[in-house]
Short mmCIF file of all heavy atoms in Angstrom, two decimals:
data_model
loop_
_atom_site.label_atom_id
_atom_site.label_comp_id
_atom_site.label_asym_id
_atom_site.label_seq_id
_atom_site.Cartn_x
_atom_site.Cartn_y
_atom_site.Cartn_z
N TYR A 1 -109.36 -180.40 -36.19
CA TYR A 1 -109.69 -181.54 -37.04
C TYR A 1 -109.68 -182.86 -36.28
O TYR A 1 -110.30 -183.83 -36.70
CB TYR A 1 -108.66 -181.63 -38.18
CG TYR A 1 -108.86 -180.61 -39.27
CD1 TYR A 1 -107.77 -180.15 -39.99
CD2 TYR A 1 -110.11 -180.12 -39.59
CE1 TYR A 1 -107.92 -179.21 -41.00
CE2 TYR A 1 -110.28 -179.19 -40.59
CZ TYR A 1 -109.18 -178.74 -41.30
OH TYR A 1 -109.34 -177.82 -42.29
N ASN A 2 -108.93 -182.92 -35.19
CA ASN A 2 -108.80 -184.17 -34.44
C ASN A 2 -108.28 -185.31 -35.31
O ASN A 2 -108.79 -186.43 -35.29
CB ASN A 2 -110.15 -184.57 -33.81
CG ASN A 2 -109.99 -185.67 -32.77
OD1 ASN A 2 -108.95 -185.76 -32.11
ND2 ASN A 2 -111.01 -186.51 -32.63
N ILE A 3 -107.26 -184.98 -36.13
CA ILE A 3 -106.60 -185.99 -36.94
C ILE A 3 -105.13 -186.05 -36.57
O ILE A 3 -104.57 -185.11 -36.00
CB ILE A 3 -106.73 -185.69 -38.45
CG1 ILE A 3 -106.07 -184.35 -38.79
CG2 ILE A 3 -108.18 -185.72 -38.90
CD1 ILE A 3 -106.00 -184.06 -40.27
N THR A 4 -104.54 -187.20 -36.87
CA THR A 4 -103.10 -187.32 -36.75
C THR A 4 -102.49 -187.25 -38.14
O THR A 4 -103.17 -187.49 -39.14
CB THR A 4 -102.72 -188.64 -36.08
OG1 THR A 4 -103.29 -189.74 -36.82
CG2 THR A 4 -103.24 -188.71 -34.65
N TRP A 5 -101.21 -186.91 -38.21
CA TRP A 5 -100.57 -186.86 -39.52
C TRP A 5 -99.10 -187.28 -39.41
O TRP A 5 -98.48 -187.22 -38.35
CB TRP A 5 -100.71 -185.48 -40.16
CG TRP A 5 -100.09 -184.32 -39.44
CD1 TRP A 5 -100.65 -183.57 -38.45
CD2 TRP A 5 -98.78 -183.76 -39.67
NE1 TRP A 5 -99.80 -182.57 -38.04
CE2 TRP A 5 -98.65 -182.65 -38.79
CE3 TRP A 5 -97.74 -184.06 -40.54
CZ2 TRP A 5 -97.49 -181.87 -38.74
CZ3 TRP A 5 -96.58 -183.27 -40.51
CH2 TRP A 5 -96.47 -182.20 -39.62
N LYS A 6 -98.60 -187.73 -40.55
CA LYS A 6 -97.23 -188.22 -40.65
C LYS A 6 -96.60 -187.64 -41.91
O LYS A 6 -97.30 -187.25 -42.84
CB LYS A 6 -97.22 -189.75 -40.71
CG LYS A 6 -97.99 -190.42 -39.59
CD LYS A 6 -98.06 -191.92 -39.75
CE LYS A 6 -98.89 -192.53 -38.63
NZ LYS A 6 -98.92 -194.01 -38.70
N ALA A 7 -95.29 -187.58 -41.93
CA ALA A 7 -94.58 -187.06 -43.10
C ALA A 7 -93.49 -188.04 -43.49
O ALA A 7 -92.65 -188.42 -42.67
CB ALA A 7 -93.99 -185.69 -42.80
N ALA A 8 -93.53 -188.46 -44.74
CA ALA A 8 -92.51 -189.37 -45.28
C ALA A 8 -91.40 -188.57 -45.94
O ALA A 8 -91.60 -187.43 -46.37
CB ALA A 8 -93.15 -190.32 -46.29
N THR A 9 -90.23 -189.16 -46.04
CA THR A 9 -89.06 -188.59 -46.73
C THR A 9 -88.79 -187.15 -46.31
O THR A 9 -88.66 -186.25 -47.14
CB THR A 9 -89.21 -188.68 -48.27
OG1 THR A 9 -90.36 -187.93 -48.69
CG2 THR A 9 -89.35 -190.12 -48.72
N VAL A 10 -88.69 -186.92 -45.01
CA VAL A 10 -88.43 -185.57 -44.50
C VAL A 10 -86.94 -185.25 -44.62
O VAL A 10 -86.07 -186.07 -44.32
CB VAL A 10 -88.87 -185.48 -43.02
CG1 VAL A 10 -88.36 -184.21 -42.38
CG2 VAL A 10 -90.38 -185.55 -42.92
N SER A 11 -86.65 -184.03 -45.07
CA SER A 11 -85.26 -183.55 -45.11
C SER A 11 -84.89 -183.05 -43.72
O SER A 11 -85.45 -182.06 -43.23
CB SER A 11 -85.11 -182.44 -46.15
OG SER A 11 -86.17 -181.51 -46.05
N ALA A 12 -83.95 -183.74 -43.08
CA ALA A 12 -83.65 -183.50 -41.67
C ALA A 12 -83.13 -182.09 -41.42
O ALA A 12 -83.33 -181.54 -40.33
CB ALA A 12 -82.64 -184.53 -41.17
N TRP A 13 -82.45 -181.49 -42.40
CA TRP A 13 -81.86 -180.17 -42.17
C TRP A 13 -82.92 -179.06 -42.06
O TRP A 13 -82.60 -177.93 -41.72
CB TRP A 13 -80.84 -179.83 -43.26
CG TRP A 13 -81.36 -179.92 -44.66
CD1 TRP A 13 -81.97 -178.94 -45.39
CD2 TRP A 13 -81.30 -181.07 -45.51
NE1 TRP A 13 -82.30 -179.40 -46.64
CE2 TRP A 13 -81.90 -180.71 -46.75
CE3 TRP A 13 -80.80 -182.36 -45.37
CZ2 TRP A 13 -82.02 -181.59 -47.81
CZ3 TRP A 13 -80.93 -183.24 -46.43
CH2 TRP A 13 -81.52 -182.86 -47.63
N HIS A 14 -84.17 -179.38 -42.35
CA HIS A 14 -85.24 -178.42 -42.16
C HIS A 14 -85.87 -178.50 -40.76
O HIS A 14 -86.73 -177.69 -40.42
CB HIS A 14 -86.34 -178.63 -43.21
CG HIS A 14 -85.95 -178.21 -44.58
ND1 HIS A 14 -86.02 -179.05 -45.68
CD2 HIS A 14 -85.47 -177.02 -45.05
CE1 HIS A 14 -85.61 -178.40 -46.76
NE2 HIS A 14 -85.27 -177.18 -46.40
N LEU A 15 -85.44 -179.47 -39.97
CA LEU A 15 -86.03 -179.67 -38.65
C LEU A 15 -85.24 -178.93 -37.57
O LEU A 15 -84.02 -178.80 -37.65
CB LEU A 15 -86.06 -181.16 -38.30
CG LEU A 15 -86.99 -182.05 -39.13
CD1 LEU A 15 -86.70 -183.52 -38.87
CD2 LEU A 15 -88.46 -181.74 -38.81
N ASP A 16 -85.96 -178.46 -36.56
CA ASP A 16 -85.32 -177.96 -35.35
C ASP A 16 -86.25 -178.25 -34.18
O ASP A 16 -87.38 -178.72 -34.36
CB ASP A 16 -85.00 -176.46 -35.44
CG ASP A 16 -86.22 -175.60 -35.73
OD1 ASP A 16 -87.30 -175.87 -35.18
OD2 ASP A 16 -86.09 -174.65 -36.53
N ASP A 17 -85.78 -177.99 -32.96
CA ASP A 17 -86.56 -178.35 -31.77
C ASP A 17 -87.92 -177.66 -31.75
O ASP A 17 -88.94 -178.28 -31.44
CB ASP A 17 -85.78 -177.98 -30.51
CG ASP A 17 -84.62 -178.90 -30.25
OD1 ASP A 17 -84.41 -179.82 -31.08
OD2 ASP A 17 -83.90 -178.70 -29.25
N ARG A 18 -87.94 -176.37 -32.07
CA ARG A 18 -89.18 -175.61 -32.03
C ARG A 18 -90.19 -176.15 -33.03
O ARG A 18 -91.38 -176.34 -32.70
CB ARG A 18 -88.88 -174.13 -32.34
CG ARG A 18 -90.12 -173.23 -32.39
CD ARG A 18 -90.85 -173.21 -31.08
NE ARG A 18 -91.96 -172.26 -31.12
CZ ARG A 18 -92.98 -172.25 -30.26
NH1 ARG A 18 -93.02 -173.17 -29.30
NH2 ARG A 18 -93.94 -171.36 -30.36
N LEU A 19 -89.74 -176.45 -34.26
CA LEU A 19 -90.66 -176.98 -35.27
C LEU A 19 -91.22 -178.32 -34.85
O LEU A 19 -92.43 -178.58 -35.01
CB LEU A 19 -89.95 -177.10 -36.62
CG LEU A 19 -90.79 -177.66 -37.77
CD1 LEU A 19 -92.04 -176.82 -37.99
CD2 LEU A 19 -89.97 -177.74 -39.05
N LEU A 20 -90.41 -179.19 -34.30
CA LEU A 20 -90.89 -180.50 -33.87
C LEU A 20 -91.94 -180.36 -32.76
O LEU A 20 -92.93 -181.09 -32.74
CB LEU A 20 -89.72 -181.36 -33.38
CG LEU A 20 -88.81 -181.91 -34.49
CD1 LEU A 20 -87.53 -182.48 -33.90
CD2 LEU A 20 -89.54 -182.98 -35.30
N GLU A 21 -91.74 -179.40 -31.85
CA GLU A 21 -92.73 -179.18 -30.79
C GLU A 21 -94.05 -178.70 -31.38
O GLU A 21 -95.13 -179.15 -30.96
CB GLU A 21 -92.18 -178.14 -29.81
CG GLU A 21 -91.02 -178.66 -28.96
CD GLU A 21 -90.34 -177.55 -28.18
OE1 GLU A 21 -90.76 -176.37 -28.33
OE2 GLU A 21 -89.40 -177.85 -27.41
N LEU A 22 -93.98 -177.81 -32.34
CA LEU A 22 -95.20 -177.30 -32.98
C LEU A 22 -95.88 -178.39 -33.80
O LEU A 22 -97.12 -178.46 -33.84
CB LEU A 22 -94.86 -176.10 -33.86
CG LEU A 22 -94.38 -174.85 -33.12
CD1 LEU A 22 -93.89 -173.80 -34.12
CD2 LEU A 22 -95.49 -174.27 -32.25
N MET A 23 -95.10 -179.22 -34.46
CA MET A 23 -95.66 -180.30 -35.27
C MET A 23 -96.46 -181.27 -34.41
O MET A 23 -97.58 -181.66 -34.77
CB MET A 23 -94.54 -181.03 -36.02
CG MET A 23 -93.97 -180.25 -37.20
SD MET A 23 -92.41 -180.91 -37.85
CE MET A 23 -92.89 -182.56 -38.38
N VAL A 24 -95.92 -181.65 -33.26
CA VAL A 24 -96.62 -182.63 -32.43
C VAL A 24 -97.90 -182.03 -31.85
O VAL A 24 -98.91 -182.73 -31.69
CB VAL A 24 -95.69 -183.16 -31.31
CG1 VAL A 24 -95.51 -182.16 -30.19
CG2 VAL A 24 -96.22 -184.48 -30.76
N ARG A 25 -97.91 -180.73 -31.59
CA ARG A 25 -99.13 -180.09 -31.09
C ARG A 25 -100.24 -180.09 -32.13
O ARG A 25 -101.43 -180.08 -31.77
CB ARG A 25 -98.82 -178.64 -30.68
CG ARG A 25 -97.98 -178.52 -29.42
CD ARG A 25 -97.72 -177.05 -29.11
NE ARG A 25 -96.64 -176.90 -28.15
CZ ARG A 25 -96.09 -175.73 -27.84
NH1 ARG A 25 -96.55 -174.62 -28.43
NH2 ARG A 25 -95.11 -175.67 -26.98
N SER A 26 -99.87 -180.10 -33.40
CA SER A 26 -100.89 -180.08 -34.46
C SER A 26 -101.30 -181.48 -34.89
O SER A 26 -102.07 -181.63 -35.84
CB SER A 26 -100.37 -179.30 -35.67
OG SER A 26 -99.27 -179.95 -36.26
N GLY A 27 -100.76 -182.52 -34.23
CA GLY A 27 -101.20 -183.88 -34.52
C GLY A 27 -100.18 -184.76 -35.18
O GLY A 27 -100.48 -185.93 -35.50
N CYS A 28 -98.95 -184.26 -35.39
CA CYS A 28 -97.92 -185.11 -36.01
C CYS A 28 -97.51 -186.22 -35.05
O CYS A 28 -97.16 -185.99 -33.89
CB CYS A 28 -96.70 -184.27 -36.37
SG CYS A 28 -95.36 -185.22 -37.13
N THR A 29 -97.56 -187.45 -35.53
CA THR A 29 -97.19 -188.61 -34.71
C THR A 29 -95.96 -189.34 -35.24
O THR A 29 -95.41 -190.18 -34.55
CB THR A 29 -98.35 -189.62 -34.63
OG1 THR A 29 -98.67 -190.06 -35.97
CG2 THR A 29 -99.58 -188.98 -33.99
N GLN A 30 -95.53 -189.00 -36.47
CA GLN A 30 -94.45 -189.79 -37.06
C GLN A 30 -93.80 -189.04 -38.22
O GLN A 30 -94.48 -188.37 -39.00
CB GLN A 30 -95.01 -191.12 -37.56
CG GLN A 30 -94.00 -192.05 -38.19
CD GLN A 30 -94.70 -193.18 -38.93
OE1 GLN A 30 -94.74 -193.22 -40.14
NE2 GLN A 30 -95.28 -194.10 -38.17
N ILE A 31 -92.48 -189.15 -38.32
CA ILE A 31 -91.76 -188.66 -39.49
C ILE A 31 -90.76 -189.73 -39.92
O ILE A 31 -90.36 -190.59 -39.13
CB ILE A 31 -91.01 -187.34 -39.22
CG1 ILE A 31 -89.97 -187.52 -38.10
CG2 ILE A 31 -91.98 -186.21 -38.90
CD1 ILE A 31 -89.09 -186.31 -37.88
N THR A 32 -90.39 -189.70 -41.19
CA THR A 32 -89.33 -190.56 -41.69
C THR A 32 -88.30 -189.67 -42.36
O THR A 32 -88.62 -188.95 -43.31
CB THR A 32 -89.86 -191.59 -42.70
OG1 THR A 32 -90.90 -192.36 -42.09
CG2 THR A 32 -88.75 -192.53 -43.15
N VAL A 33 -87.09 -189.67 -41.83
CA VAL A 33 -86.03 -188.82 -42.36
C VAL A 33 -85.19 -189.60 -43.37
O VAL A 33 -85.02 -190.81 -43.25
CB VAL A 33 -85.14 -188.24 -41.25
CG1 VAL A 33 -85.91 -187.25 -40.39
CG2 VAL A 33 -84.56 -189.35 -40.39
#
């Protein structure tokens, strides 16, 4: 898609290192916890 994406109001306990790496590869540029 060649788009960037962001997620607001993220629940931090659902995050881990592997997920963050995969998120950035798919275009994630920003989260707000």
Side-chain angles (χ1 to χ4, degrees):
Y1 284 150
N2 193 30
I3 61 173
T4 56
W5 62 274
K6 307 175 182 184
T9 62
V10 168
S11 45
W13 55 89
H14 288 125
L15 293 168
D16 57 40
D17 287 1
R18 177 61 175 162
L19 179 57
L20 286 167
E21 290 170 358
L22 293 172
M23 286 166 61
V24 76
R25 289 179 196 171
S26 66
C28 180
T29 59
Q30 181 193 106
I31 61 174
T32 303
V33 292

